[in-house]
């Protein structure tokens, strides 16, 4: 009797994948450190090339790719190796929104629509969209569990071990970050996940009580919320150093000089590790205990950078927009997906932790939030370095981009609103110092306005669900 007969045609999750073969294909820790994490360049390239061609074959059967690739002059058979990847046009999230509009509600970028549900276990997750319906992405068991394995590799490299208790301060919702962490810890590490959710779901004071009572060893949280927890701890006389914290898995944004990390590590008395991931492809890169740039899980993703303006491919070591090709996803494929995150990818090298991978720099900004000021490309997130290192600020800020002038004389301008920590901080002095510091970092002068503590939260969403916003773009109405 086969599995389908036994299950009465129900696609049971535990029967959906050959799990031993899966672990060999996408080794979780500690096997990753002895296998795919140390492959030779030739062996890795062969593995990536094989998986890439499988994904290309998948994509030709999907309307979204077939239409785009045919319009670019491609035919099946034109891409026969990884070296041909630049023949394929990139796409971005705007193209995915169009795909959903053309074939609602799930889009023509998936291999099937509603009629295919029930044939395999599926999970529906979305982007963190803020207007209209967010972008939907379906996950089959392979897509779901590979993302968890990527995350498990990160936790393990940062010190997580079986039996650890790890507090997750993202909420298990339509966004998949918290689910990703939960599945990594529960399925692939033998750790105990504590799914508290954000401070909106479980108050920060209560989160600290749980961590103290249950002996939490690790945290999964954004850098901004780590700072918020530290502020609440200081206000309530709670000693963060009394916790059993061994590691803090976080997302630090453009912390170029490490000021945010340094402040958080001092407050918590534990190392803070930076990571990078996306809704569609998972945890792409992670820091190890060396804290020396982020390792890319190269057996699951092929990475490129392209010029922000022209889209032309750039050599390794160049600052550009990040383009990702998932090597494991077929439901749906993601091939040359321009994430519009600005960063630098470096060549493979052996790390002191033993892994040999390409590495990713600190996150440097969003290409689609770029402001052109007097011929200089400015990314709002690049303001973080100057602002967070000044103790007179709360670290919260908002860039307001707008047009000034009319006709041929119209040009872009930007004001940076910065919160001062208290009314005792002289606003005029802080304003002048911030304008000078930002000029140094950005390479162009911007105006600064000083705001009061907490005043910007309505716009930045600091302390709420979802990503913190750093740009108020008035150019769309200008």
């Amino acid at each position: 009797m086969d599995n389908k007969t036994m299950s009465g045609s129900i696609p049971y999750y535990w029967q959906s994948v050959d799990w031993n073969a899966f672990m060999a294909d996408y080794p979780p820790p500690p096997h990753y450190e002895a296998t795919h994490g140390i492959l030779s360049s030739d062996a890795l390239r062969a593995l990536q090339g094989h998986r890439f061609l499988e994904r290309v074959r998948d994509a030709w059967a999907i309307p979204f790719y077939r239409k785009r690739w045919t319009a670019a002059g491609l035919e099946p058979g034109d891409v026969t190796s990884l070296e041909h990847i630049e023949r394929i046009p990139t796409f971005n999230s705007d193209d995915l929104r169009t795909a959903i509009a053309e074939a609602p509600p799930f889009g023509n970028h998936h291999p099937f629509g509603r009629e295919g549900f029930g044939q395999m276990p599926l999970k529906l997750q979305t982007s963190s969209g803020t207007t209209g319906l967010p972008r939907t992405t379906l996950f089959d068991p392979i897509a779901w569990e590979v993302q968890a394995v990527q995350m498990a590799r990160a936790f393990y490299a940062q010190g997580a071990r079986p039996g650890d208790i790890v507090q997750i301060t993202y909420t298990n919702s339509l966004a998949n970050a918290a689910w990703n962490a939960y599945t990594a810890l529960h399925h692939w590490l033998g750790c105990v996940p504590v799914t508290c959710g954000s401070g909106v779901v479980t108050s920060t004071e209560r989160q600290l009580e749980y961590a103290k009572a249950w002996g939490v060893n690790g945290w999964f949280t954004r850098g901004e919320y780590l700072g918020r927890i530290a502020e609440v701890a200081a206000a309530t006389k709670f000693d963060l150093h009394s916790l059993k914290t061994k590691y803090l898995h976080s997302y630090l944004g453009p912390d170029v000089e490490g000021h945010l990390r340094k402040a958080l590590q001092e407050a918590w008395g534990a190392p803070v590790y930076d990571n990078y991931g996306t809704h569609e492809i998972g945890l792409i890169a992670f820091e190890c205990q060396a804290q020396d740039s982020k390792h890319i899980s190269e057996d699951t993703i092929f990475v490129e950078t392209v010029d922000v303006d022209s889209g032309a491919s750039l050599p390794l070591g160049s600052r550009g927009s990040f383009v990702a090709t998932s090597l494991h996803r077929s439901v749906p494929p993601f091939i040359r997906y321009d994430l519009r995150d600005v960063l630098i990818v470096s060549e493979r090298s052996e790390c002191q932790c033993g892994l040999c991978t390409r590495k990713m720099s600190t996150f440097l900004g969003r290409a689609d939030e770029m402001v052109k000021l007097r011929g200089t490309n400015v990314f709002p997130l690049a303001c973080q370095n100057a602002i967070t290192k000044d103790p007179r600020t709360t670290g919260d800020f908002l860039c307001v981009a707008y047009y000034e002038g009319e006709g041929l004389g119209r040009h872009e301008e930007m004001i940076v609103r910065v919160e001062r920590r208290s009314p005792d901080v002289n606003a005029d002095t802080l304003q002048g110092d911030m304008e000078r510091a930002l000029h140094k970092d950005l390479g162009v002068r911007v105006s600064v306005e000083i705001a009061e503590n907490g005043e910007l939260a309505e716009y930045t969403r600091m302390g709420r669900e979802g990503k913190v916003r750093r740009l108020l773009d008035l150019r769309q109405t200008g």
Side-chain angles (χ1 to χ4, degrees):
M1 185 178 294
D2 62 24
N3 286 341
K4 189 169 184 179
T5 302
M6 289 175 62
S7 65
S9 299
I10 295 175
Y12 290 134
Y13 194 85
W14 65 274
Q15 292 180 322
S16 63
V17 173
D18 179 339
W19 295 109
N20 288 327
F22 174 89
M23 291 176 66
D25 288 340
Y26 305 101
H31 311 296
Y32 173 69
E33 287 73 12
T35 55
H36 291 188
I38 57 170
L39 287 177
S40 69
S41 295
D42 288 344
L44 175 67
R45 191 75 172 184
L47 177 65
Q48 289 179 324
H50 172 73
R51 291 181 174 172
F52 168 68
L53 292 180
E54 286 186 330
R55 301 291 80 79
V56 170
R57 284 192 292 272
D58 293 335
W60 270 114
I62 296 173
F64 174 79
Y65 287 103
R66 188 167 60 248
K67 177 181 177 182
R68 293 181 61 81
W69 293 0
T70 301
L74 288 176
E75 296 180 0
D78 285 350
V79 175
T80 59
S81 76
L82 187 55
E83 282 65 37
H84 298 158
I85 192 169
E86 291 181 22
R87 297 177 182 177
I88 297 174
T90 63
F91 71 96
N92 57 43
S93 59
D94 292 337
D95 298 309
L96 292 180
R97 291 187 186 93
T98 300
I100 291 171
E102 290 178 348
F106 305 114
N108 60 16
H109 59 298
H110 285 96
F112 48 77
R114 184 67 177 79
E115 74 286 349
F117 288 22
Q119 301 303 307
M120 67 176 73
L122 293 170
K123 199 168 193 309
L124 188 151
Q125 302 292 146
T126 71
S127 66
S128 54
T130 54
T131 58
L133 288 176
R135 298 192 314 275
T136 54
T137 303
L138 298 176
F139 290 78
D140 70 349
I142 295 292
W144 191 249
E145 296 297 341
V146 170
Q147 284 203 2
V149 166
Q150 292 170 328
M151 182 74 75
R153 293 172 179 178
F155 273 116
Y156 190 85
Q158 294 158 10
R161 293 297 182 269
D164 283 356
I165 300 174
V166 182
Q167 196 146 322
I168 300 172
T169 68
Y170 285 56
T171 300
N172 292 77
S173 64
L174 283 172
N176 66 344
W179 290 105
N180 197 0
Y182 162 79
T183 311
L185 296 164
H186 194 209
H187 292 192
W188 300 106
L189 276 175
C191 294
V192 179
V194 179
T195 52
C196 289
S198 71
V200 175
V201 177
T202 304
S203 72
T204 303
E205 293 86 347
R206 196 66 165 160
Q207 300 237 16
L208 289 169
E209 291 175 6
Y210 290 155
K212 182 74 171 179
W214 298 336
V216 166
N217 306 115
W219 293 71
F220 176 82
T221 183
R222 290 186 177 88
E224 295 94 349
Y225 191 54
L226 281 179
R228 172 61 181 161
I229 296 173
E231 288 180 347
V232 170
T236 58
K237 310 299 183 189
F238 185 98
D239 182 10
L240 283 178
H241 291 211
S242 70
L243 298 178
K244 296 182 179 181
T245 310
K246 297 193 297 183
Y247 46 84
L248 299 154
H249 175 108
S250 192
Y251 301 82
L252 299 176
D255 190 30
V256 179
E257 296 180 5
H259 300 294
L260 177 60
R261 189 206 301 267
K262 182 175 184 292
L264 292 173
Q265 290 186 157
E266 289 176 352
W268 282 83
V272 175
Y273 298 105
D274 193 19
N275 302 271
Y276 174 84
T278 72
H279 155 67
E280 293 90 354
I281 297 176
L283 192 81
I284 292 169
F286 59 89
E287 280 189 331
C288 64
Q289 290 179 325
Q291 294 181 321
D292 180 21
S293 299
K294 295 184 281 291
H295 292 284
I296 296 172
S297 276
E298 292 186 276
D299 59 328
T300 67
I301 182 173
F302 183 76
V303 300
E304 307 168 78
T305 51
V306 300
D307 184 83
V308 171
D309 294 315
S310 69
S313 294
L314 297 172
L316 290 174
S318 303
R319 173 178 173 145
S321 185
F322 185 68
V323 174
T325 295
S326 174
L327 299 176
H328 65 275
R329 291 207 64 150
S330 57
V331 181
F334 284 93
I335 300 176
R336 299 208 82 202
Y337 182 25
D338 186 351
L339 292 159
R340 297 189 284 195
D341 288 339
V342 179
L343 41 80
I344 299 167
V345 175
S346 60
E347 187 50 273
R348 300 185 80 223
S349 61
E350 185 173 350
C351 179
Q352 67 185 64
C353 75
L355 294 177
C356 184
T357 69
R358 285 183 178 177
K359 285 188 173 182
M360 178 186 294
S361 72
T362 300
F363 177 63
L364 299 173
R366 288 282 303 167
D368 55 349
E369 292 183 346
M370 184 179 73
V371 182
K372 197 89 168 183
L373 298 179
R374 296 173 288 286
T376 300
N377 294 341
V378 174
F379 301 97
L381 283 169
C383 298
Q384 177 177 304
N385 180 65
I387 295 167
T388 56
K389 73 180 179 182
D390 194 313
R392 295 171 297 175
T393 78
T394 66
D396 206 8
F397 67 95
L398 180 71
C399 297
V400 182
Y402 60 97
Y403 286 120
E404 187 170 274
E406 299 292 338
L408 296 177
R410 190 174 80 160
H411 59 279
E412 296 177 50
E413 286 292 345
M414 188 174 81
I415 293 175
V416 183
R417 303 195 67 201
V418 179
E419 284 188 357
R420 60 177 174 176
R421 187 164 293 278
S422 76
D424 296 334
V425 173
N426 185 282
D428 292 337
T429 301
L430 179 60
Q431 177 185 11
D433 291 345
M434 281 287 96
E435 288 180 345
R436 284 185 288 274
L438 289 171
H439 181 211
K440 178 181 177 183
D441 281 4
L442 303 179
V444 65
R445 295 189 184 279
V446 294
S447 298
V448 170
E449 291 182 355
I450 302 303
E452 300 305 323
N453 192 333
E455 183 180 341
L456 300 180
E458 175 185 353
Y459 305 98
T460 64
R461 299 180 61 84
M462 176 70 79
R464 304 184 194 177
E465 293 283 355
K467 296 177 182 177
V468 174
R469 299 171 184 165
R470 295 303 183 197
L471 176 66
L472 176 60
D473 196 346
L474 301 182
R475 294 172 297 180
Q476 299 169 4
T477 59

